[in-house]
Structure formats: C-alpha cells, structure tokens
Amino acid sequence: MTIEQPAFGKRVRESRRIQGLSQGDLAGEGVSASYVSLVESGHRIPSLKAAKVIAGRLGVTLEELCEPEARDRQRTHRLQLVGLLVAARSSQLAGDWAEARSQLDTVVRQAGDGGFDEVRWEARWELATVLDRLGADAEREAVLLKLLNDPITTAAQLMRARAAIELADLHRRTGRLSDAVTFAEEASGAAAGLDAGRPEHVRAQVVLLTAYVESGEWHRAKGLGDALLTEVPSITAEPLRACALWAAAGARHLGGGSEAVGLLAEAEELLGGADDVRLRIRLDRARALLALATGDASAQVLLERARRVQALDSAPPAATWLAALEALAVVRSGAASPDEAAAAADALDPSALGPVDRARCTVIRARARRAAGQEEAAAEDFRAAAADYEKAGAVRLAMETWRELSAPGHVTGLDPHAVLMP
C-alpha cells in the first residue's frame, strides 16, 4: 500500500469536513491533533499504523484514502501504455513479431477505453507494420481502414496520405487493382499539397503509377511517369528516388520508350545501400526480366546475379522467379531445343506468388511450353494467366494474354508482361 502526499492528506481533510469532525476527533492511539494537521497539509507522510487509525476514525477504508486522483490515474495509465509501446518496439527489433502483435493489440484496446486516442493511433500504425511481417493481410487491411477513418487521420492530410498509400499497396499485392487505384488516387489527392520532394508525396505518386501500370491504365501511367521523372532531382532520400525511377521505367517501357532498362540501372545504384533487402531483390528481378524481354546486353549478367541471389534465399518465391527468368532466357535465345524448353517450363511453378506476379510467370511458362511444341499445355497456361489477370482487375494484361494465345510463334515488340513494379 503506497501513501502519497499531498493526495492522502487532502482526502483526509475532505472526508473529515464532510462528516463535521475536528482534527481532535481523529486523534488517538499515538495520533495527535497536531499530527493530523501535518498529515492533512501534506507535510507528514503517516506510517501505515497511523494511517489505519485515521481511516478508522473516518469510517472509511485505507484503500479509499490511498486511491490516486483521476489525473494521477490517467498519467499512470498513459505511462503503462507507453511502456507497452516501447516493449512492442523491442519485440520487433528482436524479430518476435507475434509478441509485438500481442503487445500492440493490448495498447489499442486499453488506449481506446482510456480515451488516449493519439496513443491508440500510433499503436495501430505500428500494428499494421507487424501484421505485414506476419503476412496477416486481412487483419492488416482492417487496421488500416480504421486508421484511414480515424478522426486524427481525417484532420491531418499527411496522416491520411500515409494510410491510403499502405491500403493501395496492400490491395495491389493481393490482386485487387481496382481498389488499389481508388486508394492510390485518394493518397495522391491527400498528398497534393505537400512539397514535391516530401516522402509522402513521392510515395503517393509511385503507388498510383504502379496501380495504373498493373491495372492497364497505361495512358494515365505515361503522363504520371513523365511528371514523376521531373520531380526526381528534388527527392533527397536515395531509396525513394530509386523507387520513383523504377516506377517511371515501367511506364516508359509500356509507352514504347527505350530508356526503361537504363532507368532501372540508375535505380539500382541508388538502392544499393538500402536496408530493405526485399525491395532490392525485387528490383534485381525487375532489371533481369526487362533486360531478357528486350534483348538488352546486360541480360546474361543480370541472370547470373539472380542465380547467386537465389542461392542465398530458399523461399519458394525466389526459386519461382529464378525459374521464370531461366525460362524466359531459353525462349528469347531462339536456339534452345524443345527438350530444353520443356525442362525450363517444368521447373517453373508460379503457385507461390501473388495474383499478378503469378499470372506474369504463367505467361512465361506458356511461352516455354509453346517453344517445346506443347501447344495444348501452353494454351492451358495462357488461359490460366488470363483468368488470374482478369480476377485481379488487370484487364489490359488479360487482353494481351488472350491475344498471345491466339498468335503462334514468339512475342515480338513490346512485352507488357515484362514490367515488374516496386
């Protein structure tokens, strides 16, 4: 039991006056009237024995006299919530994402009950990051939607842009491109008033450009990509500048430009020292894919690098992408035997990828099977890829897939399936 002054003395005085008692009435058993006066003024912290005597004289429990004030309770509760936030961050640094999730869930629940809206907002934001690490897309979407509609977010365009960016990226990765475009446009609108080089402004443009490219709105993508390239010099953060160049490269390729491979090379130089390993690996794949599809001189070097990266990453998506690049290399060589093409197709299993990437790799497998003379299996793959594209909302890519199914031989000219966005 902790007796805190002056809160304890204040309650003693208030209770005594309400009951019409004097300080002398509380005296007894080693407690004098002057001692009571010192306690009430906060100049003396009573012993536990004396405090019990005073409480008994007042006819209340010692717990009632020791209960902290509402302001003190609120401060204590805030400190407890902040302590949980710090603990959750420590769990994240240690890689214990499940424990971090549990701690943040507790903060969100208790902060809501106590009226600490800003603490709850921060906990939800961190929870969205943790859920991303855990691959809990449905739960993450629910958290992000609550953030987007939170009064704090509504009142701050910067916060709204951040939440909308995350929702757009989540919907894109899970194959819901129509919703991705909607949230990306909302993010772009919210960030419109920010400086051109501001991270939220750039990220909003990148996620919108990516959504346009993958959903097939290539005419919009070209204009946005050109505008984004003019803003690149004002972007100070190198990883962010790299993503801007990367996204613009995709739009340039689909617009018929020949500088896309060069833009990706420039992006890779900027991203070389970034901490986000997943992003760097994806950019490596994007470069290799586009170089192979366009016959660029760097294709074989990039393919060899992809082989070295895969040796360090045993996850199914890494093996799938390497197999896709190997199959595309076989198809594009034009000199592979039917047996080599068939082996490349058999080694490629796109099932571990997200909807749009799965469709992309299925098209590559279909080409390998067509090169192997397995036309029926190739047609089945083309149809499966088109169905995946259509389900995700990538209607333009689905149309291109149906067109390739109906046309024998290899693809010539622009390859729309060779664009891998950030």
Side-chain angles (χ1 to χ4, degrees):
M1 179 75 64
T2 301
I3 299 173
E4 295 185 357
Q5 288 284 42
F8 180 84
K10 181 180 178 181
R11 284 199 179 82
V12 170
R13 183 172 59 249
E14 289 175 349
S15 181
R16 177 178 61 77
R17 288 177 175 175
I18 288 172
Q19 298 180 56
L21 301 174
S22 67
Q23 291 178 340
D25 292 330
L26 302 187
E29 298 182 40
V31 176
S32 65
S34 60
Y35 185 87
V36 172
S37 177
L38 289 171
V39 169
E40 287 187 352
S41 66
H43 293 141
R44 177 68 62 84
I45 298 176
S47 66
L48 187 59
K49 180 179 178 181
K52 288 181 178 178
V53 170
I54 294 172
R57 296 280 184 168
L58 289 170
V60 298
T61 65
L62 183 57
E63 286 75 11
E64 290 177 82
L65 293 178
C66 291
E67 184 180 0
E69 295 181 1
R71 184 181 299 174
D72 294 332
R73 290 197 301 272
Q74 190 175 43
R75 181 180 60 191
T76 300
H77 189 35
R78 178 183 290 275
L79 289 173
Q80 291 172 341
L81 293 175
V82 171
L84 274 173
L85 271 178
V86 172
R89 287 166 186 164
S90 296
S91 296
Q92 292 176 62
L93 289 173
D96 192 347
W97 303 104
E99 179 62 19
R101 176 181 182 175
S102 175
Q103 291 162 331
L104 291 169
D105 278 333
T106 300
V107 175
V108 169
R109 184 175 62 256
Q110 293 185 358
D113 294 340
F116 300 103
D117 294 341
E118 73 285 357
V119 177
R120 180 177 60 184
W121 197 100
E122 188 171 353
R124 276 182 174 154
W125 184 255
E126 293 198 20
L127 180 59
T129 300
V130 169
L131 291 171
D132 183 32
R133 287 286 188 168
L134 292 170
D137 290 334
E139 293 88 341
R140 182 167 184 255
E141 181 180 353
V143 169
L144 287 171
L145 285 171
K146 287 179 180 177
L147 280 170
L148 187 67
N149 296 314
D150 191 290
I152 292 177
T153 309
T154 304
Q157 291 298 89
L158 180 64
M159 301 297 192
R160 190 162 190 82
R162 288 176 177 173
I165 286 167
E166 295 300 325
L167 278 164
D169 188 59
L170 174 61
H171 281 79
R172 180 183 71 86
R173 287 192 296 103
T174 53
R176 291 171 288 172
L177 295 176
S178 178
D179 290 333
V181 169
T182 298
F183 284 117
E185 288 177 341
E186 181 170 354
S188 181
L194 302 176
D195 293 338
R198 181 82 185 224
E200 291 78 13
H201 175 83
V202 178
R203 288 197 63 214
Q205 299 301 92
V206 168
V207 77
L208 180 57
L209 180 51
T210 298
Y212 280 162
V213 164
E214 294 193 342
S215 66
E217 298 187 49
W218 297 343
H219 58 295
R220 291 188 179 184
K222 184 181 184 305
L224 183 57
D226 291 344
L228 188 56
L229 280 176
T230 65
E231 296 178 5
V232 165
S234 66
I235 304 172
T236 56
E238 291 188 346
L240 203 56
R241 199 187 321 159
C243 286
L245 289 168
W246 181 356
R252 282 292 175 93
H253 173 71
L254 293 171
S258 59
E259 67 272 43
V261 174
L263 290 173
L264 289 179
E266 187 178 347
E268 187 175 43
E269 290 181 10
L270 293 169
L271 205 57
D275 294 332
D276 194 336
V277 177
R278 292 188 299 177
L279 193 64
R280 284 161 48 194
I281 290 175
R282 186 170 177 84
L283 177 55
D284 280 345
R285 291 168 183 160
R287 278 196 71 193
L289 182 64
L290 192 61
L292 286 165
T294 58
D296 188 80
S298 63
Q300 288 305 314
V301 173
L302 294 171
L303 179 58
E304 183 55 38
R305 182 192 298 176
R307 290 169 181 151
R308 292 197 299 270
V309 169
Q310 199 278 327
L312 302 174
D313 186 355
S314 59
T320 298
W321 273 113
L322 179 59
L325 294 174
E326 298 279 14
L328 185 58
V330 167
V331 171
R332 288 296 185 181
S333 72
S337 68
D339 287 344
E340 289 174 319
D346 291 341
L348 175 53
D349 178 9
S351 60
L353 303 178
V356 176
D357 284 351
R358 182 172 63 241
R360 213 175 258 123
C361 289
T362 303
V363 167
I364 294 173
R365 187 172 66 182
R367 292 172 180 171
R369 285 178 168 163
R370 176 170 276 175
Q374 302 172 352
E375 192 58 42
E376 185 175 339
E380 184 178 342
D381 271 346
F382 278 125
R383 285 191 289 268
D388 272 341
Y389 277 139
E390 289 170 355
K391 186 176 180 180
V395 179
R396 184 79 175 269
L397 288 170
M399 289 173 56
E400 295 293 335
T401 303
W402 287 117
R403 184 176 291 116
E404 189 172 343
L405 168 61
S406 63
H410 302 313
V411 176
T412 57
L414 173 70
D415 184 356
H417 308 284
V419 177
L420 192 61
M421 297 295 281

